[in-house]
PDB file of all heavy atoms in Angstrom:
ATOM      1  N   THR J 839      10.963   0.908-167.195  1.00  0.00           N
ATOM      2  CA  THR J 839       9.839   0.057-166.830  1.00  0.00           C
ATOM      3  C   THR J 839       8.552   0.595-167.445  1.00  0.00           C
ATOM      4  O   THR J 839       8.475   1.755-167.854  1.00  0.00           O
ATOM      5  CB  THR J 839       9.653   0.010-165.297  1.00  0.00           C
ATOM      6  OG1 THR J 839       9.267   1.309-164.853  1.00  0.00           O
ATOM      7  CG2 THR J 839      10.928  -0.433-164.595  1.00  0.00           C
ATOM      8  N   GLU J 840       7.564  -0.264-167.490  1.00  0.00           N
ATOM      9  CA  GLU J 840       6.248   0.157-167.999  1.00  0.00           C
ATOM     10  C   GLU J 840       5.696   1.304-167.172  1.00  0.00           C
ATOM     11  O   GLU J 840       5.050   2.210-167.699  1.00  0.00           O
ATOM     12  CB  GLU J 840       5.269  -1.017-167.972  1.00  0.00           C
ATOM     13  CG  GLU J 840       5.563  -2.069-169.017  1.00  0.00           C
ATOM     14  CD  GLU J 840       4.579  -3.212-168.930  1.00  0.00           C
ATOM     15  OE1 GLU J 840       3.443  -3.042-169.425  1.00  0.00           O
ATOM     16  OE2 GLU J 840       4.949  -4.257-168.361  1.00  0.00           O
ATOM     17  N   GLN J 841       5.953   1.255-165.892  1.00  0.00           N
ATOM     18  CA  GLN J 841       5.490   2.299-164.980  1.00  0.00           C
ATOM     19  C   GLN J 841       6.110   3.650-165.365  1.00  0.00           C
ATOM     20  O   GLN J 841       5.415   4.665-165.399  1.00  0.00           O
ATOM     21  CB  GLN J 841       5.887   1.914-163.560  1.00  0.00           C
ATOM     22  CG  GLN J 841       5.116   2.572-162.486  1.00  0.00           C
ATOM     23  CD  GLN J 841       5.437   1.965-161.115  1.00  0.00           C
ATOM     24  OE1 GLN J 841       6.184   0.998-160.997  1.00  0.00           O
ATOM     25  NE2 GLN J 841       4.869   2.550-160.093  1.00  0.00           N
ATOM     26  N   GLU J 842       7.389   3.680-165.679  1.00  0.00           N
ATOM     27  CA  GLU J 842       8.074   4.913-166.069  1.00  0.00           C
ATOM     28  C   GLU J 842       7.562   5.418-167.421  1.00  0.00           C
ATOM     29  O   GLU J 842       7.356   6.620-167.615  1.00  0.00           O
ATOM     30  CB  GLU J 842       9.580   4.704-166.131  1.00  0.00           C
ATOM     31  CG  GLU J 842      10.221   4.492-164.783  1.00  0.00           C
ATOM     32  CD  GLU J 842      11.671   4.043-164.890  1.00  0.00           C
ATOM     33  OE1 GLU J 842      11.996   3.260-165.813  1.00  0.00           O
ATOM     34  OE2 GLU J 842      12.473   4.486-164.054  1.00  0.00           O
ATOM     35  N   TYR J 844       4.622   4.859-168.737  1.00  0.00           N
ATOM     36  CA  TYR J 844       3.263   5.355-168.502  1.00  0.00           C
ATOM     37  C   TYR J 844       3.316   6.755-167.900  1.00  0.00           C
ATOM     38  O   TYR J 844       2.595   7.663-168.326  1.00  0.00           O
ATOM     39  CB  TYR J 844       2.537   4.386-167.571  1.00  0.00           C
ATOM     40  CG  TYR J 844       1.186   4.862-167.087  1.00  0.00           C
ATOM     41  CD1 TYR J 844       0.031   4.592-167.813  1.00  0.00           C
ATOM     42  CD2 TYR J 844       1.063   5.582-165.901  1.00  0.00           C
ATOM     43  CE1 TYR J 844      -1.218   5.021-167.366  1.00  0.00           C
ATOM     44  CE2 TYR J 844      -0.169   6.017-165.451  1.00  0.00           C
ATOM     45  CZ  TYR J 844      -1.306   5.734-166.180  1.00  0.00           C
ATOM     46  OH  TYR J 844      -2.529   6.165-165.740  1.00  0.00           O
ATOM     47  N   LYS J 845       4.175   6.938-166.919  1.00  0.00           N
ATOM     48  CA  LYS J 845       4.297   8.242-166.265  1.00  0.00           C
ATOM     49  C   LYS J 845       4.762   9.298-167.278  1.00  0.00           C
ATOM     50  O   LYS J 845       4.221  10.402-167.308  1.00  0.00           O
ATOM     51  CB  LYS J 845       5.303   8.157-165.112  1.00  0.00           C
ATOM     52  CG  LYS J 845       5.358   9.425-164.279  1.00  0.00           C
ATOM     53  CD  LYS J 845       6.420   9.382-163.195  1.00  0.00           C
ATOM     54  CE  LYS J 845       6.116   8.354-162.152  1.00  0.00           C
ATOM     55  NZ  LYS J 845       7.056   8.389-161.012  1.00  0.00           N
ATOM     56  N   VAL J 932      -1.737   5.739-160.379  1.00  0.00           N
ATOM     57  CA  VAL J 932      -1.412   4.366-160.775  1.00  0.00           C
ATOM     58  C   VAL J 932       0.079   4.096-160.626  1.00  0.00           C
ATOM     59  O   VAL J 932       0.496   2.968-160.393  1.00  0.00           O
ATOM     60  CB  VAL J 932      -1.851   4.109-162.240  1.00  0.00           C
ATOM     61  CG1 VAL J 932      -1.448   2.741-162.721  1.00  0.00           C
ATOM     62  CG2 VAL J 932      -3.349   4.295-162.368  1.00  0.00           C
ATOM     63  N   THR J 933       0.893   5.122-160.731  1.00  0.00           N
ATOM     64  CA  THR J 933       2.345   4.938-160.712  1.00  0.00           C
ATOM     65  C   THR J 933       2.940   4.982-159.312  1.00  0.00           C
ATOM     66  O   THR J 933       4.121   4.723-159.131  1.00  0.00           O
ATOM     67  CB  THR J 933       3.040   6.019-161.571  1.00  0.00           C
ATOM     68  OG1 THR J 933       2.838   7.294-160.967  1.00  0.00           O
ATOM     69  CG2 THR J 933       2.525   6.016-162.982  1.00  0.00           C
ATOM     70  N   PRO J 938       2.128  -1.397-158.821  1.00  0.00           N
ATOM     71  CA  PRO J 938       1.060  -0.712-159.561  1.00  0.00           C
ATOM     72  C   PRO J 938       0.059  -1.709-160.157  1.00  0.00           C
ATOM     73  O   PRO J 938       0.377  -2.875-160.366  1.00  0.00           O
ATOM     74  CB  PRO J 938       1.807   0.014-160.670  1.00  0.00           C
ATOM     75  CG  PRO J 938       3.026  -0.806-160.901  1.00  0.00           C
ATOM     76  CD  PRO J 938       3.392  -1.362-159.548  1.00  0.00           C
ATOM     77  N   ASN J 939      -1.130  -1.233-160.427  1.00  0.00           N
ATOM     78  CA  ASN J 939      -2.147  -2.042-161.074  1.00  0.00           C
ATOM     79  C   ASN J 939      -1.786  -2.139-162.556  1.00  0.00           C
ATOM     80  O   ASN J 939      -2.028  -1.220-163.328  1.00  0.00           O
ATOM     81  CB  ASN J 939      -3.521  -1.395-160.887  1.00  0.00           C
ATOM     82  CG  ASN J 939      -4.630  -2.196-161.503  1.00  0.00           C
ATOM     83  OD1 ASN J 939      -4.449  -2.895-162.494  1.00  0.00           O
ATOM     84  ND2 ASN J 939      -5.806  -2.077-160.922  1.00  0.00           N
ATOM     85  N   MET J 940      -1.192  -3.250-162.945  1.00  0.00           N
ATOM     86  CA  MET J 940      -0.678  -3.404-164.308  1.00  0.00           C
ATOM     87  C   MET J 940      -1.800  -3.445-165.343  1.00  0.00           C
ATOM     88  O   MET J 940      -1.607  -2.988-166.467  1.00  0.00           O
ATOM     89  CB  MET J 940       0.202  -4.656-164.416  1.00  0.00           C
ATOM     90  CG  MET J 940       1.480  -4.574-163.588  1.00  0.00           C
ATOM     91  SD  MET J 940       2.462  -3.076-163.917  1.00  0.00           S
ATOM     92  CE  MET J 940       3.204  -3.511-165.469  1.00  0.00           C
ATOM     93  N   ASP J 941      -2.963  -3.981-164.976  1.00  0.00           N
ATOM     94  CA  ASP J 941      -4.084  -3.991-165.919  1.00  0.00           C
ATOM     95  C   ASP J 941      -4.490  -2.562-166.280  1.00  0.00           C
ATOM     96  O   ASP J 941      -4.675  -2.236-167.453  1.00  0.00           O
ATOM     97  CB  ASP J 941      -5.290  -4.736-165.331  1.00  0.00           C
ATOM     98  CG  ASP J 941      -5.066  -6.233-165.238  1.00  0.00           C
ATOM     99  OD1 ASP J 941      -4.212  -6.752-165.995  1.00  0.00           O
ATOM    100  OD2 ASP J 941      -5.742  -6.878-164.418  1.00  0.00           O
ATOM    101  N   THR J 942      -4.607  -1.706-165.265  1.00  0.00           N
ATOM    102  CA  THR J 942      -4.947  -0.307-165.508  1.00  0.00           C
ATOM    103  C   THR J 942      -3.849   0.356-166.319  1.00  0.00           C
ATOM    104  O   THR J 942      -4.131   1.101-167.259  1.00  0.00           O
ATOM    105  CB  THR J 942      -5.140   0.441-164.174  1.00  0.00           C
ATOM    106  OG1 THR J 942      -6.200  -0.196-163.453  1.00  0.00           O
ATOM    107  CG2 THR J 942      -5.459   1.904-164.404  1.00  0.00           C
ATOM    108  N   LEU J 943      -2.610   0.082-165.970  1.00  0.00           N
ATOM    109  CA  LEU J 943      -1.472   0.666-166.680  1.00  0.00           C
ATOM    110  C   LEU J 943      -1.524   0.315-168.163  1.00  0.00           C
ATOM    111  O   LEU J 943      -1.361   1.184-169.015  1.00  0.00           O
ATOM    112  CB  LEU J 943      -0.170   0.139-166.073  1.00  0.00           C
ATOM    113  CG  LEU J 943       0.887   1.166-165.854  1.00  0.00           C
ATOM    114  CD1 LEU J 943       1.125   1.335-164.365  1.00  0.00           C
ATOM    115  CD2 LEU J 943       2.155   0.721-166.506  1.00  0.00           C
ATOM    116  N   HIS J 944      -1.772  -0.945-168.486  1.00  0.00           N
ATOM    117  CA  HIS J 944      -1.833  -1.380-169.885  1.00  0.00           C
ATOM    118  C   HIS J 944      -3.034  -0.775-170.613  1.00  0.00           C
ATOM    119  O   HIS J 944      -2.911  -0.298-171.735  1.00  0.00           O
ATOM    120  CB  HIS J 944      -1.891  -2.908-169.981  1.00  0.00           C
ATOM    121  CG  HIS J 944      -0.613  -3.557-169.595  1.00  0.00           C
ATOM    122  ND1 HIS J 944      -0.574  -4.713-168.870  1.00  0.00           N
ATOM    123  CD2 HIS J 944       0.681  -3.221-169.815  1.00  0.00           C
ATOM    124  CE1 HIS J 944       0.677  -5.073-168.660  1.00  0.00           C
ATOM    125  NE2 HIS J 944       1.463  -4.175-169.218  1.00  0.00           N
ATOM    126  N   THR J 945      -4.197  -0.832-169.968  1.00  0.00           N
ATOM    127  CA  THR J 945      -5.412  -0.295-170.584  1.00  0.00           C
ATOM    128  C   THR J 945      -5.264   1.194-170.857  1.00  0.00           C
ATOM    129  O   THR J 945      -5.551   1.673-171.955  1.00  0.00           O
ATOM    130  CB  THR J 945      -6.630  -0.523-169.663  1.00  0.00           C
ATOM    131  OG1 THR J 945      -6.763  -1.925-169.421  1.00  0.00           O
ATOM    132  CG2 THR J 945      -7.902   0.016-170.287  1.00  0.00           C
ATOM    133  N   LYS J 946      -4.817   1.928-169.858  1.00  0.00           N
ATOM    134  CA  LYS J 946      -4.677   3.378-170.003  1.00  0.00           C
ATOM    135  C   LYS J 946      -3.575   3.739-170.995  1.00  0.00           C
ATOM    136  O   LYS J 946      -3.707   4.728-171.721  1.00  0.00           O
ATOM    137  CB  LYS J 946      -4.422   4.041-168.643  1.00  0.00           C
ATOM    138  CG  LYS J 946      -5.627   4.016-167.743  1.00  0.00           C
ATOM    139  CD  LYS J 946      -6.772   4.815-168.352  1.00  0.00           C
ATOM    140  CE  LYS J 946      -8.006   4.803-167.508  1.00  0.00           C
ATOM    141  NZ  LYS J 946      -9.141   5.471-168.140  1.00  0.00           N
ATOM    142  N   ALA J 947      -2.514   2.973-171.028  1.00  0.00           N
ATOM    143  CA  ALA J 947      -1.425   3.250-171.978  1.00  0.00           C
ATOM    144  C   ALA J 947      -1.947   3.200-173.413  1.00  0.00           C
ATOM    145  O   ALA J 947      -1.610   4.059-174.240  1.00  0.00           O
ATOM    146  CB  ALA J 947      -0.283   2.264-171.789  1.00  0.00           C
ATOM    147  N   LYS J 948      -2.808   2.235-173.708  1.00  0.00           N
ATOM    148  CA  LYS J 948      -3.416   2.152-175.044  1.00  0.00           C
ATOM    149  C   LYS J 948      -4.348   3.335-175.294  1.00  0.00           C
ATOM    150  O   LYS J 948      -4.331   3.943-176.364  1.00  0.00           O
ATOM    151  CB  LYS J 948      -4.183   0.832-175.195  1.00  0.00           C
ATOM    152  CG  LYS J 948      -3.307  -0.391-175.280  1.00  0.00           C
ATOM    153  CD  LYS J 948      -4.132  -1.665-175.320  1.00  0.00           C
ATOM    154  CE  LYS J 948      -3.237  -2.884-175.204  1.00  0.00           C
ATOM    155  NZ  LYS J 948      -3.996  -4.110-175.057  1.00  0.00           N
TER     156      LYS J 948
END
Side-chain angles (χ1 to χ4, degrees):
T839 66
E840 288 179 78
Q841 201 171 356
E842 291 170 323
Y844 172 89
K845 187 184 294 186
V932 176
T933 66
N939 181 330
M940 295 307 283
D941 289 337
T942 300
L943 224 114
H944 290 141
T945 302
K946 290 297 179 185
K948 290 176 188 172

